[in-house]
Amino acid sequence: MRRNSAKVTVGDRPVAWLGANFWSRTGGPLMWRSYDPAVVRDELRVLAEHGLRQTRSFFYWPDFHPEPSTVDEEKVAHYRDFLDAHAEFGMSSIPTFIVGHMSGENWDPAWRGGIERDLYADVWLVSRQAWFVEQMVRRLHDHPAVAGWLISNEMPIYGRRRGQPTAPRSDVTSWATLMVQAVRAGGGHQPVSLGDGAWGIEVTGEDNGFSVRETGELVDFVGPHVYKMESDQVRQHLNAAFLCELAAVANKPVVLEEFGLSTDFVSEPNQGHYYRQSLHNSLLAGATGWIAWNNTDYDHLNTQDPYRHHPFEMHFGITTNTGVPKEPLRELDAFAKVLTEVDFVNTHRVDTDAALVVSSYLERDYPISTAPDRALVFHTLRQGYVAAREAHLPVALTREEDGLATDAKLYLLPSTRQILAPTWLQLHEFANDGAVVYLSYCSGEHAFHRGPWFQKLNDMFGVEHQLAYGLNNPIDDDVVEFTFTEDFGAIKAGETLRFTAAGNENSRAYLPVRPRGATVVATDQHGNPALLRYRVGAGETILCTYPLEHMASKQGRVNPEDTHRIYDALATVAGVARAVTVDDPSVFTDVLAHTDGRRFAWFVSQHAAEHKVTPVLPGGGTLRPIGGGESVSQFTLPAYGVGVYALEV
């Protein structure tokens, strides 16, 4: 299976953007009123000296568009000088047009006429936005320092109407169409995207009116904004990666357009760890551009909104208020060196034999389905992704909405409750043709039609379930034990895996079954079948009767937990090829391939202290540091460290 690794292209040349969102320390969003060319050049110089080559910049809408048919030419002149400064340092910028939201506050041009005027559907207001976009592009499109264009900054926040938090999808997509057309009408030939954060239902399971699938047809790249906070360190380190994987639904390049942290929230060492993990894990998840939030701190703006009422927003900078690099900028610098060393723009992710199935219930409101159904899909799918990474199992997401990929050897359905009837039959056919299909049971988090929404589960898995109508089968034990009755991959007969139980009164439940052709591979501590294999034609189906991924997703500080052992065994049973593994779930691995045939192996540690790594190369070969040197069979990574090695066969 192919994994998304498309690059943004300028002309026919692939590019990899690495930079920072930019407001000058002279004024933050009000920088254009107090524009200081010398300060801007000093700020850009520091970024350039640390490997950054792009900024994402902003036309603060009330300043640049003071009247419905007027552009402030003085502000445009300031911006043109800003672009000149980029060119002087070999940098480029991505201008953003409709900037009415920023850092915890919304602002309107004085002429908007109040929030009752709909930014998406009021014909006059939409025409003014399109006019402004076209006018700005006409003035700037031929400047060599323009790298691309963004229509808005987090428009789902700014575009909300009173009493209507979600705009109609048809209005949003129509608005986006007109804005992109305005860029092209103004002569803009560079890549364009929306700046919406990629928070649409296909990525988050939450409907905000923006469909990444629909708007993906209009744009040249998709740009996730990632600020999620978690209760588990591994999930936190993989958040950006997982969202980048989901954002690939548009089949366009994925640029991590905003990510970062306020250093008021995070200790200095942990600032570096978070940046390092987000950068490298998202690279391995298909991201091909990174723009940090943001370039500088704003200590002296503490009486200016939004910093007055969101004071932590003053310290998202990768430099201090005086331009001194902070730990995040040092990590960006190190990352830039890795991108150069491996010639990243000419690399791609290697194919995989394993598919993580995305239920269409994540992105569709089927009749009588609910928002909690979508949330369940998101969280269990993400925990399945975590377990796969811990098992050194490269996976590709395959979406039911698009039709499942047909070329996988292993299909993973983690704690899956709802998929469509035709998909269920197709999965049975995949198994019959030689694939392995794994499902872990989940009864759902609410009582409405609680239980599996599958037809003929018994036939699929060679069992006879023992469910009683209207009831579930609660998991009473705080820790569930799987004791294996026969070898399963690397798990030996007699071994016991342990899983902490979690969930609410509906979902903390198991599936009671009796085997009817299936082989019991593991039992729980009460002798109930916990994991079963069933031969289907040339392949097999494997049923887990406990919602392992769901239980883990409901817990803090849980990873790594033993589900990765089952995923590792599934990969072995299915014959999934893996180029690099480690006998340690807290070190992630993956491989990029260069167009010239070279391959590069990544090792990303989740250990909070220095840790020795001993790689395993199932296909043979040696590892050599990308900067040169002797081959290695063992190496040490620092706390939450990353190692990149040439994989030579």
Side-chain angles (χ1 to χ4, degrees):
M1 289 184 61
R2 294 280 182 188
R3 296 193 289 169
N4 182 61
S5 54
K7 309 291 194 298
V8 176
T9 58
V10 177
D12 59 355
R13 182 174 60 89
V15 297
W17 289 332
L18 181 65
N21 289 269
F22 190 100
W23 288 119
S24 177
R25 61 179 178 256
T26 59
L30 305 184
M31 65 172 281
W32 306 109
R33 301 178 186 179
S34 55
Y35 183 73
D36 188 324
V39 171
V40 163
R41 282 164 172 78
D42 185 57
E43 291 170 323
L44 292 176
R45 175 188 56 79
V46 174
L47 301 183
E49 288 175 350
H50 289 80
L52 304 194
R53 289 294 174 264
Q54 278 74 38
T55 66
R56 175 178 173 229
S57 50
F58 305 91
F59 302 140
Y60 180 60
W61 199 22
D63 282 358
F64 277 83
H65 195 181
E67 299 292 340
S69 299
T70 302
V71 169
D72 189 316
E73 299 298 349
E74 181 184 29
K75 303 296 190 300
V76 174
H78 291 335
Y79 190 81
R80 189 173 284 112
D81 179 78
F82 177 74
L83 290 176
D84 291 343
H86 280 72
E88 292 165 18
F89 289 102
M91 298 179 70
S92 59
S93 191
I94 307 162
T96 308
F97 300 107
I98 310 300
V99 182
H101 169 78
M102 186 60 58
S103 300
E105 186 162 349
N106 291 344
W107 295 274
D108 288 322
W111 49 264
R112 175 181 173 180
I115 64 171
E116 300 306 325
R117 302 207 70 156
D118 189 332
L119 283 157
Y120 304 123
D122 183 307
V123 175
W124 178 79
L125 188 52
V126 171
S127 75
R128 292 303 82 206
Q129 294 173 72
W131 179 86
F132 174 66
V133 169
E134 181 180 349
Q135 291 298 314
M136 294 304 295
V137 174
R138 286 190 184 280
R139 287 162 171 77
L140 300 167
H141 73 274
D142 58 352
H143 198 292
V146 174
W149 310 97
L150 287 167
I151 302 302
S152 76
N153 180 60
E154 298 180 355
M155 200 69 177
I157 298 176
Y158 183 46
R160 292 173 179 166
R161 293 173 287 177
R162 192 189 307 277
Q164 294 179 299
T166 300
R169 184 179 299 185
S170 59
D171 289 354
V172 170
T173 302
S174 298
W175 168 87
T177 301
L178 293 169
M179 295 306 115
V180 172
Q181 288 174 346
V183 171
R184 300 309 182 207
H189 54 86
Q190 299 89 344
V192 63
S193 193
L194 298 184
D196 62 302
W199 296 332
I201 192 170
E202 303 93 343
V203 176
T204 64
E206 300 173 7
D207 188 4
N208 63 6
F210 279 76
S211 165
V212 179
R213 185 184 293 279
E214 287 187 13
T215 60
E217 297 180 3
L218 309 172
V219 301
D220 298 303
F221 62 94
V222 175
H225 295 192
V226 180
Y227 297 104
K228 291 174 72 68
M229 291 187 170
E230 297 299 333
S231 60
D232 178 83
Q233 184 71 84
V234 176
R235 284 200 296 263
Q236 189 73 66
H237 284 167
L238 285 175
N239 253 334
F242 182 61
L243 292 172
C244 286
E245 298 269 21
L246 286 169
V249 64
N251 292 316
K252 294 293 175 68
V254 175
V255 173
L256 190 52
E257 197 173 270
E258 276 197 33
F259 73 104
L261 50 83
S262 170
T263 54
D264 291 328
F265 291 165
V266 187
S267 72
E268 187 170 353
N270 283 321
Q271 295 164 27
H273 298 332
Y274 179 73
Y275 260 78
R276 185 184 320 117
Q277 291 280 328
S278 295
L279 289 164
H280 287 276
N281 284 326
S282 63
L283 177 151
L284 296 174
T288 58
W290 301 265
I291 310 175
W293 188 270
N294 63 316
N295 64 304
T296 187
D297 288 346
Y298 307 103
D299 289 9
H300 66 295
L301 300 182
N302 54 13
T303 61
Q304 175 182 309
D305 290 345
Y307 309 115
R308 179 181 62 86
H309 52 75
H310 279 60
F312 66 90
E313 292 278 2
M314 288 187 287
H315 297 122
F316 270 87
I318 57 177
T319 72
T320 68
N321 190 59
T322 58
V324 175
K326 295 163 66 176
E327 197 62 29
L329 182 54
R330 287 189 277 273
E331 288 298 331
L332 286 161
D333 189 13
F335 186 66
K337 291 179 172 61
V338 171
L339 296 183
T340 299
E341 194 68 44
V342 303
D343 186 25
F344 175 73
V345 294
N346 290 309
T347 65
H348 59 270
R349 301 164 80 191
V350 297
D351 295 347
T352 180
D353 297 324
L356 192 60
V357 176
V358 183
S359 167
S360 59
Y361 282 82
L362 175 70
E363 59 180 289
R364 272 192 178 265
D365 278 324
Y366 290 111
I368 321 300
S369 64
T370 67
D373 291 328
R374 298 198 300 270
L376 177 67
V377 174
F378 177 88
H379 291 293
T380 56
L381 191 70
R382 182 178 58 173
Q383 185 59 36
Y385 183 75
V386 169
R389 294 293 294 267
E390 291 171 344
H392 315 108
L393 173 59
V395 292
L397 272 58
T398 184
R399 289 185 175 259
E400 182 181 36
E401 182 71 11
D402 298 319
L404 298 186
T406 61
D407 57 345
K409 294 181 178 179
L410 173 63
Y411 293 87
L412 299 167
L413 289 87
S415 299
T416 300
R417 174 174 176 251
Q418 296 164 310
I419 57 174
L420 301 179
T423 306
W424 186 255
L425 297 176
Q426 186 180 28
L427 287 165
H428 195 273
E429 291 172 2
F430 290 163
N432 192 66
D433 291 340
V436 172
V437 176
Y438 161 86
L439 170 78
S440 53
Y441 169 80
C442 185
S443 61
E445 292 192 280
H446 57 80
F448 180 73
H449 290 322
R450 183 174 54 204
W453 285 29
F454 313 132
Q455 77 277 28
K456 297 187 176 180
L457 181 145
N458 290 348
D459 292 347
M460 180 77 154
F461 291 102
V463 298
E464 182 181 283
H465 74 68
Q466 304 297 299
L467 293 169
Y469 180 72
L471 303 175
N472 63 5
N473 294 76
I475 301 170
D476 295 322
D477 301 293
D478 290 334
V479 176
V480 176
E481 296 182 352
F482 281 24
T483 299
F484 282 76
T485 56
E486 61 178 53
D487 293 351
F488 185 59
I491 305 172
K492 300 301 182 185
E495 277 197 71
T496 298
L497 305 184
R498 293 173 175 82
F499 309 91
T500 302
N504 65 17
E505 68 276 11
N506 297 300
S507 64
R508 183 170 166 158
Y510 71 97
L511 177 68
V513 300
R514 293 174 182 166
R516 289 291 184 267
T519 300
V520 177
V521 175
T523 60
D524 66 15
Q525 57 261 58
H526 305 289
N528 300 313
L531 194 69
L532 304 99
R533 301 175 67 169
Y534 183 52
R535 175 60 61 182
V536 178
E540 63 181 300
T541 59
I542 297 178
L543 174 66
C544 178
T545 61
Y546 283 80
L548 301 183
E549 299 87 355
H550 170 66
M551 293 195 306
S553 76
K554 305 302 291 184
Q555 300 175 60
R557 301 186 183 277
V558 66
N559 289 300
E561 49 87 47
D562 275 351
T563 303
H564 74 88
R565 294 286 310 280
I566 293 176
Y567 278 36
D568 175 72
L570 289 167
T572 300
V573 169
V576 174
R578 290 180 283 179
V580 182
T581 66
V582 178
D583 189 19
D584 182 349
S586 291
V587 178
F588 303 155
T589 65
D590 211 336
V591 173
L592 293 189
H594 194 280
T595 54
D596 66 9
R598 289 179 292 160
R599 293 197 297 169
F600 302 98
W602 259 255
F603 300 86
V604 185
S605 176
Q606 302 306 306
H607 290 282
E610 184 176 270
H611 189 78
K612 188 173 291 185
V613 178
T614 304
V616 178
L617 308 178
T622 59
L623 295 172
R624 195 178 303 276
I626 56 172
E630 298 297 318
S631 62
V632 298
S633 58
Q634 191 178 71
F635 50 85
T636 299
L637 292 177
Y640 301 118
V642 175
V644 184
Y645 293 83
L647 175 57
E648 300 173 350
V649 179

